[in-house]
Structures are given as structure tokens and as C-alpha cells.
Amino acid sequence: MDETIAEALRIAEESFIASSGPGGQNVNKVATAVQLRLNVFALRLSPPVFGRLKTLAGTRMTSKGEIVLTARNYRTQEANRDDARGRMIQLLEAAHKEPKLRKKSRVNRIGKEKRIKAKKNRGTIKAGRGKVDW
């Protein structure tokens, strides 16, 4: 997994674009936002990992198989670059984690009887809340 993440950061393409957000006039003069593009097919992920990554990426994945992350929260290119790379790493790590399989639970006979008894008891309490005749 660590090799995959290192490979991903190596082949990811960065481009700097004009940003909105904090920075005042600096925003108009300097391209501080970072757009990080990663071709997922170049990573050669296993089908289950690729499926999870596709689900996690959502609309950030293009039809050509590229994940596009844009970071524009900070005033400097370096901070935005670190933010974009960190988010890409989190995305890849989450895709590599296998979800735990849910095991069906089953209530035994005593548990069922106990539940029905509690429901009957609650029903009698509610039935006693009717209008009072004086």
C-alpha cells in the first residue's frame, strides 16, 4: 500500500491556478490554488480497491479515470500543495482498507419472549391512558 501511495504522488500532475478565497489582492496576482490530477489506471489497483476508490472519489473522478483534487484553502502554493497531497493520501488509504463484513445476528427464543412480554406490558400502560369517566 505504501508503494502505491508513493507511486501515486510521483505520477500525480500538479498545476497552479488562480484562486478565490482569502488573500485579498494577492489572489488576483498569484496562482496559489493547486489542482492535483492522478490517473488511477496507472496505479494498477486490484478490482476491489479500485471499486472502493471510485466510490470514495465520487464526482472527483472523471470518466477518463483521473481523480482531480483542488486545494485553495491557504494563501501559499506550498500549503495548498501539502493540503492536496494529504487529501489524496487519505483517499488512497481509505480505499485500501477492507470494510468489515457484517454478520447476521439472531435472537434466541428467550429473547423473543422477553421482547413480546415488554410490548404487551407497554400496550397495557398505553391502554390505561384513556378518558376518565367521573
Side-chain angles (χ1 to χ4, degrees):
M1 178 175 74
D2 293 332
E3 303 88 29
T4 306
I5 293 172
E7 177 71 13
L9 291 178
R10 191 182 64 75
I11 64 172
E13 297 173 11
E14 293 175 348
S15 57
F16 296 98
I17 55 177
S19 175
S20 62
Q25 291 181 354
N26 186 56
V27 169
N28 301 327
K29 294 186 281 185
V30 183
T32 55
V34 178
Q35 196 174 57
L36 192 65
R37 290 180 168 270
L38 174 66
N39 185 353
V40 179
F41 297 126
L43 295 177
R44 294 187 178 94
L45 298 171
S46 64
V49 174
F50 177 76
R52 287 192 294 269
L53 182 61
K54 190 173 179 180
T55 304
L56 288 169
T59 58
R60 293 175 289 192
M61 183 178 267
T62 65
S63 58
K64 295 178 183 175
E66 285 186 333
I67 295 178
V68 181
L69 292 179
T70 305
R72 61 179 76 201
N73 294 336
Y74 301 101
R75 286 182 58 128
T76 62
Q77 285 183 348
E78 293 80 22
N80 283 327
R81 178 188 286 146
D82 291 341
D83 182 36
R85 287 181 174 204
R87 289 188 353 220
M88 185 68 76
I89 289 170
Q90 285 177 344
L91 198 62
L92 291 170
E93 285 176 345
H96 276 85
K97 286 183 185 170
E98 278 192 47
K100 288 184 178 179
L101 291 175
R102 182 185 175 278
K103 293 180 182 169
K104 273 180 135 177
S105 60
R106 190 168 165 264
V107 180
N108 58 14
R109 182 182 52 83
I110 296 169
K112 284 182 185 176
E113 288 173 2
K114 199 174 175 183
R115 189 180 109 254
I116 290 171
K117 186 179 176 186
K119 284 170 67 93
K120 293 268 187 198
N121 188 25
R122 188 76 187 146
T124 56
I125 290 170
K126 288 185 173 187
R129 290 186 188 157
K131 240 182 181 177
V132 179
D133 287 333
W134 292 98

